[in-house]
Amino acid sequence: MDQLPATFVQGFHDESSVRKMKYVSFGNTGLMVSKISLGTGTLSKFYGDLVETEGIKAVHLALKKGINYIDTAPYYGQGRSEEILGKALKDVPRRAYYVATKVGRYEMEYDKMFDFSAKKTRASVENSLALLGVESIDVVQIHDVEFAADLSVIWNGTLPALETLKAEGKLKHIGVSAYPMDVLKRVISGAPGRFDIVLCYCRNTLIDDSLKEYLKFFKSNNLAVVCASGHGMGLLTNAGPQPWHPAHDQTKQVCREAAEYCKQHDVELGKLAMYHFIQLDGPSTFLSGMQSEALVNINLEAFFDGLTPKELDVLDYLSKCIFPKIVEKNWEGIEVKQYWNAMKLMHN
């Protein structure tokens, strides 16, 4: 690119990488965001043990290489992700990045997991500002709205609270996230013009391409689309998913088979997944969790250099011979059902 982005800082960035990175208009926000963005759910115990110093180094490397959009949430490690990210950002010029966090989903215990109330929303944003060490958060998203007992709490509680905080200058743009695509469509349709950003995850992967159907709707609502988790929350990596992963057993089994095939051919399934993930036209940015410098390098390599002929052959084989065996492409409804069953048991 001829022009360096507004987030470029001489002396901080690796200029040649920044020039190679693609920057895309972020809906109607006026921001230009890097095509690859940094997810920090991995800066917590969700994805295994984390060495804090390694996580901080990964953040620094990602930013220096031209990534300028970072996503976190209070739920990731119950504040741990925001805390580690805040430590990393102390050494980064504020204009070098845009930071996004969330409200609505908090604790591991079912009875304290969700709170979409206006009061909790305000307290959460204040806490995120303190942990991240910033005066204003670029994007605050309402997290996993499919768990709300009724979407009216989002429209009448969470969203107005965020709009008030925006008017106070504590945040700049408002977004929404969910796993079920139809819920995202409903929540956006119920508050026309009030959301700037939509985050969809695990919906544009080697096993599920359902985001494609909804892109036109999102675009018609002038939303910036954050396409997250091309690795299917670890499902599409050689290491495999964490024990908590909600996918069906048969889906996990097929993905394990794919990972084994990759290992036999000395290929990383995660790199193939990343490459496939970023080919879709429409999303502004492709968000991927990276908790080590090695993962930052693998993901950026998939973007900057594409795949080797050998990797392309392996990807072709998986796409034709292994992934078509999957019966259930998504795990929609599984977590919501678990949540409401647990809540029912508690209140009986």
Side-chain angles (χ1 to χ4, degrees):
M1 63 181 280
D2 303 328
Q3 210 181 337
L4 290 160
T7 46
F8 177 75
V9 178
Q10 192 79 45
F12 172 76
H13 283 103
D14 168 5
E15 188 174 328
S16 63
S17 290
V18 175
R19 287 190 182 277
K20 277 198 288 182
M21 178 59 75
K22 191 173 178 192
Y23 296 89
V24 181
S25 173
F26 199 49
N28 278 357
T29 63
L31 308 181
M32 293 291 284
V33 296
S34 51
K35 196 76 191 245
I36 309 297
S37 44
L38 177 66
T40 63
T42 45
L43 297 184
S44 69
K45 286 249 194 299
F46 271 154
Y47 290 88
D49 287 335
L50 173 84
V51 180
E52 187 179 300
T53 51
E54 293 303 306
I56 288 171
K57 279 186 197 167
V59 172
H60 289 163
L61 180 65
L63 293 174
K64 283 176 180 176
K65 292 275 187 184
I67 287 175
N68 71 358
Y69 187 85
I70 316 164
D71 177 273
T72 184
Y75 181 62
Y76 303 153
Q78 287 60 60
R80 187 80 175 118
S81 169
E82 289 183 319
E83 182 194 345
I84 295 173
L85 182 56
K87 287 180 183 177
L89 295 176
K90 277 195 179 103
D91 301 317
V92 179
R94 179 62 183 98
R95 60 171 276 212
Y97 62 88
Y98 304 119
V99 65
T101 192
K102 305 184 185 80
V103 293
R105 187 169 191 167
Y106 301 104
E107 303 300 330
M108 296 299 286
E109 300 87 5
Y110 283 119
D111 58 334
K112 296 177 190 159
M113 194 176 275
F114 293 96
D115 186 343
F116 295 105
S117 69
K119 185 182 176 188
K120 178 66 176 176
T121 298
R122 173 170 284 277
S124 180
V125 170
E126 301 279 7
N127 191 49
S128 293
L129 285 163
L131 286 174
L132 294 167
V134 295
E135 285 180 15
S136 181
I137 299 164
D138 298 287
V139 177
V140 178
Q141 301 148 119
I142 308 174
H143 200 175
D144 290 347
V145 292
E146 69 269 33
F147 290 89
D150 188 310
L151 288 179
S152 61
V153 71
I154 307 296
W155 299 319
N156 304 327
T158 333
L159 187 51
L162 290 179
E163 288 167 336
T164 302
L165 287 156
K166 180 181 175 178
E168 291 169 15
K170 288 176 178 170
L171 62 100
K172 292 179 180 151
H173 307 287
I174 297 169
V176 61
S177 84
Y179 182 56
M181 303 297 287
D182 62 319
V183 174
L184 279 174
K185 191 171 180 176
R186 268 191 289 141
V187 81
I188 290 159
S189 299
R194 292 169 72 189
F195 289 107
D196 307 302
I197 291 120
V198 59
L199 185 150
C200 320
Y201 63 97
C202 304
R203 294 302 198 167
N204 174 39
T205 68
L206 287 163
I207 63 171
D208 183 348
D209 65 355
S210 50
L211 171 55
K212 280 181 188 166
E213 292 169 49
Y214 289 83
L215 276 173
K216 194 175 172 187
F217 169 77
F218 294 148
K219 291 289 173 186
S220 70
N221 280 272
N222 300 313
L223 295 165
V225 179
V226 177
C227 181
S229 201
H231 300 95
M233 301 192 301
L235 197 58
L236 297 162
T237 61
N238 283 7
Q242 293 295 314
W244 52 259
H245 200 291
H248 297 267
D249 288 340
Q250 192 263 352
T251 308
K252 289 181 184 174
Q253 183 52 48
V254 175
C255 292
R256 267 197 297 273
E257 193 185 326
E260 285 310 315
Y261 185 83
C262 285
K263 287 176 198 169
Q264 285 160 18
H265 292 81
D266 198 23
V267 165
E268 171 50 60
L269 175 56
K271 187 179 175 191
L272 307 186
M274 185 71 184
Y275 175 78
H276 172 86
F277 175 56
I278 59 183
Q279 301 309 312
L280 182 65
D281 276 338
S284 294
T285 190
F286 294 88
L287 183 72
S288 189
M290 315 176 211
Q291 71 269 50
S292 67
E293 290 178 305
L295 282 175
V296 172
N297 286 324
I298 286 172
N299 286 335
L300 287 179
E301 204 177 291
F303 175 69
F304 289 142
D305 307 320
L307 301 180
T308 65
K310 179 185 174 184
E311 287 167 338
L312 284 168
D313 284 345
V314 170
L315 178 56
D316 186 57
Y317 178 80
L318 298 181
S319 302
K320 286 175 180 167
C321 305
I322 295 188
F323 292 131
K325 296 178 190 177
I326 289 175
V327 178
E328 300 281 357
K329 291 184 174 185
N330 67 59
W331 46 90
E332 208 170 296
I334 291 178
E335 291 172 293
V336 175
K337 194 175 171 185
Q338 282 170 350
Y339 171 74
W340 286 112
N341 284 344
M343 292 295 280
K344 215 177 281 179
L345 281 173
M346 274 176 204
H347 297 108
N348 276 350

